[in-house]
Amino acid sequence: MTRELVRARHIAGKAAHAAVLVFFVTFLAFPFYWMMITTFKANQDLYNTANNPYVFNSPPTLQHLSVLFEDTQYVQWLLNTGFVGIVVVIITLLLAVPAGYALARMTGAWAQTLGVTIFLTYLVPPTILFIPFSRIIAVLGLQDSVWSLILVYPSFTVPFCTWLLMGFFKAIPRDLEDAAMIDGLSRFGAFIKVVMPISVAGILTAVIFAFTLVTQEFVYGVTFITASSSYTVSVGIPTFLVRGDVYFWGSMMAACLIASVPIAIIYNFFVARFVAGFTMGAIK
Amino acid sequence: MKSTITATVGKTRVKDSLLSRVADNDRWLWRAMLAPAILYIGLLVGFPFLLSLYYSVSSITVASQDVHFVGLENFRRIVASGTFWLSLQNTIVITVVSQFFVLVFANILATALVVDFRGRWLVRLLILLPWVAPISLGSIGWLWIFDSIYSVINWTARAAGLLGPNQWPIWLGQPTLARASIIIVNVWRILPLATVIVLAGLSSIPQDIHDAAEVDGAGFWRHHFQITTPLILPIMLVALLFGIIFTFTDLIVVFVLTRGGPYDTTQVIASWAYFTGIQGGDLAGGAAISLFLFPVLAGVAILFLWLARHTEVT
């Protein structure tokens, strides 16, 4: 092979690599770019089909943001989402941390079966359970209350986080607890005093994922809640702002952007650990 | 007097030994630590699921006081409806087509991401956005992109000369285009997760395998299909199973984009169960419809269990 040919192939490889990345980044990130452009566009610019939609033909405006924050219950929805998220995260940790540890340290054939069974319950989707739940929530008198969501959301966060934490605890060497137990701690004492402090990163990962599962949930929210003051963000925007024929695109895109991007940035830091925990049981 | 003291001492000793027995005896400790989670899951997944089975053979509605057993009447009614077959067909077509593209794209993208290059973290952040953002909000972004009058896709195609003066596709208003739109959004939604999973598989292949292939003179394609692909097959299956579950059971994309329209041509099982059971108040019918999702889920679950038992990939 001549030197020129090697060089040409190298450049072609680089170009193909760049082309693949540009194509997929455009496809995957475009809707968010579009939300951002729309958020700051004046209405007369937005609704003029003669204008180039990619640039600001009129100066950027904050008008849509002020509509969103002053004329809708968006802030209330954000607060509801935060409240539901925090309470669900606490319930999830109380249930999933001990369960995940027990599953990680149990021996015997049925320990693994039990772990996989708990994970499989995560795969039972809300779309199978929402109809019986709608009745249960009505009987309990919780419809239109965020407490209905707080009751139901752990049904998917607990299996998920138990699985995630099980993988995390398995990675901690048993010797640490054994040493602590020789020093006189009970197994449970060793868990509380030795394992928990070094598991902070794993537990934080579980917190992030439980919280994002809550912010993403839609089916139960739309089924249980019809009072707009109790909506969460992911339900409030599509059901309250997309109604009838008038779409406030600027405000809606702002609402979507504000609720999506901060989570995405936090998520990015935890994604490697998430994937490790997520796929661990299935491939190891 | 003496006997009371002994009794009290006895009691504390019993209490003590019970606590320390649980704290020190692994078997009891595991049971105590697992019980709350299993109880909660049993109550909030198992019980509603059984209730759903019961509803599907009953006459329950949102308003009904008097509920009775009707056998398979609800299922007969559903199967007799044209909307059912349309929904089933849509659900299958949307799942199969979108997962095909997801699998192909995820492999291409993960292969491009596994090598190091400048700005990789930014690319990773950007491609993860669709999966991380609430899906209902991402779908609203697409609703605006597919807008009948202001669609940016149509504007761009016209500016590029791809659309004639009288051509202006109504993305969500024509059955075929509406189905295509829903498939696009599903690919968009699942691709990041699949890519990240495949990427994890690629990164876990030991470097010496690649080196050996290099020494043996395998070219890019040969290397990719004869060495890399077989090694990451199990993890690709994991990505595929998740993709199938999330797409097959999803109602959000259809709910936000088309509400099943035009004329139920984009209705899927999950959305039809919602419109029947919740908006139509026919809880029995809705429960019966949603149960049609179950056979596929059970199949996927069995595959997962099989995978957990039979693959050993490091």
Side-chain angles (χ1 to χ4, degrees), chain B residues 183-305:
Chain B
I183 289 172
I184 291 171
V185 177
N186 272 307
V187 172
W188 175 81
R189 160 77 181 155
I190 305 290
L191 180 58
L193 173 64
T195 304
V196 167
I197 293 178
V198 174
L199 192 57
L202 286 178
S203 319
S204 72
I205 299 175
Q207 184 57 38
D208 43 339
I209 293 183
H210 294 307
D211 293 342
E214 201 77 24
V215 171
D216 293 345
F220 175 81
W221 297 108
R222 204 181 153 86
H223 190 155
H224 186 76
F225 283 106
Q226 292 195 340
I227 293 157
T228 315
T229 310
L231 281 172
I232 61 164
L233 218 49
I235 207 170
M236 263 164 59
L237 196 55
V238 172
L240 183 65
L241 293 177
F242 276 108
I244 289 173
I245 288 178
F246 291 152
T247 318
F248 196 77
T249 63
D250 176 67
L251 77 77
I252 307 172
V253 175
V254 169
F255 183 97
V256 171
L257 287 187
T258 65
R259 310 228 163 191
Y263 306 108
D264 283 339
T265 50
T266 58
Q267 203 73 270
V268 291
I269 298 280
S271 62
W272 194 41
Y274 176 81
F275 290 122
T276 306
I278 302 300
Q279 295 206 328
D282 174 10
L283 291 177
I289 294 165
S290 70
L291 282 178
F292 279 94
L293 296 171
F294 190 70
V296 169
L297 286 171
V300 170
I302 290 166
L303 263 170
F304 255 110
L305 285 171

Side-chain angles (χ1 to χ4, degrees), chain A residues 17 20-21 23-25 27-32 34-35 38 46-54 91 94-103 105-107 112-114 116-125 127-136 150-152 154-155 158-159 162 181 185-189 191 209 212 215-219 222-223 233-235 237-239 242 247 249 252-253 255-256 259-261 263-265 267-269 271-272 274-275 278-279 281-284, chain B residues 22-24 26 29-30 33-34 36-38 40-41 43-45 47-49 51-52 55 60-64 105-106 108-109 111-113 115 117 121 123-138 140-145 147 149-150 152 155-156 168 184 187-189 191-193 196-197 200 234-235 238 242 245-246 249-252 255-256 259 270 273-274 277-278 282-287 290-291 293-294 297 300-301 304-305 307-309 311-314:
Chain A
H17 186 240
V20 164
L21 291 177
F23 172 79
F24 283 111
V25 168
F27 173 51
L28 293 169
F30 182 75
F32 297 96
W34 208 235
M35 288 175 192
T38 308
L46 211 52
Y47 300 130
N48 182 349
T49 46
N51 283 348
N52 177 349
Y54 290 96
I91 296 174
L94 288 176
L95 295 171
V97 170
Y101 178 70
L103 285 173
R105 287 296 185 255
M106 264 161 67
T107 48
Q112 202 204 351
T113 311
L114 193 61
V116 175
T117 310
I118 287 183
F119 181 66
L120 287 180
T121 58
Y122 170 68
L123 300 180
V124 178
T127 33
I128 281 189
L129 303 178
F130 70 103
I131 287 179
F133 265 135
S134 72
R135 198 67 187 167
I136 295 170
I150 290 172
L151 175 71
V152 169
S155 68
V158 169
T162 302
M181 282 161 74
L185 284 174
S186 65
R187 165 74 74 172
F188 187 70
F191 167 64
F209 287 101
T212 47
T215 60
Q216 303 220 340
E217 207 288 324
F218 179 81
V219 179
V222 82
T223 306
V233 169
S234 81
V235 175
I237 301 166
T239 50
V242 185
Y247 292 77
W249 285 115
M252 271 164 57
M253 292 300 112
C256 295
S260 307
V261 172
I263 298 176
I265 291 170
Y267 219 83
N268 196 45
F269 294 113
V271 76
F274 165 81
V275 173
F278 201 53
T279 53
I283 61 159
K284 270 185 190 163
Chain B
V22 171
D24 260 335
D26 282 357
L29 182 65
W30 301 153
M33 289 175 98
L34 274 168
I38 290 179
Y40 205 106
I41 294 171
L43 275 176
L44 283 156
V45 180
F47 175 64
F49 182 69
L51 207 55
S52 175
Y55 281 1
I60 193 167
T61 63
V62 165
S64 63
F105 285 171
I108 298 173
L109 185 52
T111 307
L113 282 172
V115 295
F117 57 90
W121 70 271
V123 169
R124 201 179 71 169
L125 174 67
L126 291 174
I127 66 158
L128 276 176
L129 277 171
W131 174 48
V132 174
I135 180 168
S136 62
L137 305 186
I140 291 187
W142 282 99
L143 189 67
W144 172 222
I145 291 172
D147 189 83
I149 304 169
Y150 305 105
V152 62
W155 189 93
T156 311
W168 193 263
I184 291 171
V187 172
W188 175 81
R189 160 77 181 155
L191 180 58
L193 173 64
V196 167
I197 293 178
I235 207 170
V238 172
F242 276 108
I245 288 178
F246 291 152
T249 63
D250 176 67
L251 77 77
I252 307 172
F255 183 97
V256 171
R259 310 228 163 191
Y274 176 81
I278 302 300
D282 174 10
L283 291 177
S290 70
L291 282 178
L293 296 171
F294 190 70
L297 286 171
V300 170
F304 255 110
L305 285 171
L307 229 137
R309 293 259 160 78
T311 50
E312 271 176 43
V313 177
T314 42

